[in-house]
Amino acid sequence: MNDDTSKQNQTIETLIKLQEAETEIIRLEGILEKIGKEKHKLDKRLKQSESTLNEDKDKTRKLVSNCRDIENEIKLLDDRIVKSNEKLRMVKTNKEYQLGLREVDDTKKRKDALETELLELLDETEKMENIVQEAEKEFKLLESQILSEKEDIEKKTSADRELLDEYLERRVEIGDTLDPALMNRFLKISKMNQGLSVVQVKNEACMGCFMNIPPQLYIEVQRGGTLISCPQCSRILYFKKETDSA
C-alpha cells in the first residue's frame, strides 16, 4: 500500500468518525426539538388558561362598574324624589301639584326599574366572582403542574444537551483535521441527505439510498485509497469487511 492510498484510507476513517458524530448530533437535536415542542404546548396551554381567566376578570370588573353606575343613578333619583316632594309642599295651584306628583311618580318608576336591573346585575356579578375564584384556583394548580412538568423535562434533557455539546465540539475537532474543501463537501452532502454523508457500501448497494452501484465502482470502493461518491445520492462510500463469527 503506497502513501497516497494509506493517506486516503486514513481520511475515510476520519470521515467515518465525523459521520458518527454527525449522526448523534442529528439524533440529539431531534430529541431536543421534540422536547421544545412539548414545552411550547405546555406554555400555550397555560397562556390560554390565563387568557380565559383574564377575560372572566374583565367581565366581572365591567359588571361591578355597571352596578356602581346604577347605584349612583339610584342615589340621584332618591335626591330628586326628596326635592320633588319638598317642592310639592310649596306649590300653590292644583295643576302644579299634579305635575309635581307625575314627576315624582315617573322618578319612582325609573328608580324601581333600576333597582330591578341592579338586583339582576348583582346576581350575575356574584356568579362571575365565583367563576373567577374557581378559575384562579384552577389556574394556580395548572401553573404549578406545568412548572413541575417543565422542570422534569429540563432534568431529563440536561444530559442530552451536554452530550450534544460534546458531539458538536467533536465535529469541530474532527473537521479541523480535514481539508476545508472536503469538510464543506461533507456538510453539503449532510444537508442534502438528512445528516447522512458517509455510508457503507454492501452487496454492490449504497446503504444510504439502497440503490445498486456499478460493479466496477463497487470494486474501487472495496479497494480503497480513493474517495468515491454514490452516483445516485452523492454520499461518500466506504467498504467494511465482514468479520466471520466463529
Side-chain angles (χ1 to χ4, degrees):
M1 183 183 293
N2 57 44
D3 290 341
D4 288 341
T5 300
S6 177
K7 186 177 180 181
Q8 284 293 344
N9 285 339
Q10 288 177 2
T11 299
I12 292 172
E13 288 297 324
T14 302
L15 285 170
I16 293 171
K17 290 178 182 177
L18 181 61
Q19 181 58 63
E20 290 171 354
E22 185 75 1
T23 299
E24 283 301 301
I25 289 170
I26 297 296
R27 182 184 71 82
L28 291 166
E29 285 179 340
I31 291 172
L32 294 175
E33 182 181 4
K34 184 179 178 181
I35 293 299
K37 289 179 180 178
E38 289 179 10
K39 287 171 66 178
H40 177 71
K41 285 181 181 178
L42 291 173
D43 289 336
K44 187 177 179 181
R45 184 181 167 195
L46 185 63
K47 192 173 182 180
Q48 287 174 340
S49 177
E50 185 178 22
S51 177
T52 302
L53 175 60
N54 288 334
E55 286 175 6
D56 289 341
K57 284 182 176 180
D58 285 340
K59 289 178 184 177
T60 305
R61 279 192 288 267
K62 287 177 183 177
L63 285 169
V64 170
S65 177
N66 290 340
C67 288
R68 191 178 298 114
D69 290 342
I70 292 175
E71 286 172 346
N72 290 334
E73 189 173 351
I74 289 173
K75 288 178 182 178
L76 290 174
L77 291 175
D78 280 334
D79 292 340
R80 188 181 301 172
I81 291 170
V82 170
K83 289 179 181 178
S84 295
N85 284 326
E86 290 175 353
K87 187 178 178 182
L88 278 174
R89 288 195 294 270
M90 299 173 64
V91 297
K92 296 179 179 180
T93 66
N94 186 57
K95 184 178 180 181
E96 288 177 332
Y97 186 76
Q98 292 301 323
L99 287 173
L101 283 178
R102 187 181 301 170
E103 182 182 343
V104 171
D105 186 56
D106 289 343
T107 304
K108 285 181 177 179
K109 285 180 180 178
R110 172 62 182 161
K111 179 187 173 184
D112 289 342
L114 285 175
E115 285 177 338
T116 300
E117 184 179 353
L118 179 60
L119 287 173
E120 292 175 354
L121 279 175
L122 287 171
D123 184 56
E124 190 177 351
T125 301
E126 185 179 1
K127 289 178 181 177
M128 279 306 303
E129 285 174 342
N130 289 334
I131 290 172
V132 168
Q133 191 175 12
E134 289 301 314
E136 283 180 330
K137 289 179 183 178
E138 291 176 4
F139 175 76
K140 287 179 181 178
L141 186 64
L142 180 63
E143 186 178 37
S144 176
Q145 176 188 337
I146 287 178
L147 181 62
S148 177
E149 287 183 30
K150 288 175 71 174
E151 286 176 352
D152 287 342
I153 288 172
E154 285 299 324
K155 288 177 183 177
K156 290 176 182 177
T157 57
S158 61
D160 286 333
R161 293 183 192 281
E162 290 177 6
L163 195 57
L164 176 60
D165 289 339
E166 289 178 14
Y167 276 110
L168 287 169
E169 187 177 345
R170 189 179 303 177
R171 183 174 66 180
V172 172
E173 290 174 353
I174 296 172
D176 287 342
T177 67
L178 292 172
D179 180 86
L182 180 57
M183 185 61 188
N184 288 335
R185 177 182 169 188
F186 175 91
L187 293 174
K188 184 178 179 181
I189 298 170
S190 177
K191 189 175 181 181
M192 290 168 50
N193 295 287
Q194 293 77 49
L196 195 57
S197 301
V198 183
V199 296
Q200 186 179 0
V201 64
K202 193 173 182 181
N203 298 326
E204 298 188 14
C206 166
M207 293 292 98
C209 63
F210 301 101
M211 298 292 289
N212 287 331
I213 64 172
Q216 182 58 39
L217 197 64
Y218 182 58
I219 293 171
E220 291 179 17
V221 176
Q222 285 180 304
R223 187 181 296 129
T226 307
L227 289 180
I228 298 173
S229 295
C230 172
Q232 308 297 331
C233 66
S234 300
R235 291 181 175 96
I236 299 170
L237 304 174
Y238 71 91
F239 177 76
K240 184 178 179 181
K241 291 182 180 180
E242 297 293 333
T243 54
D244 295 330
S245 55

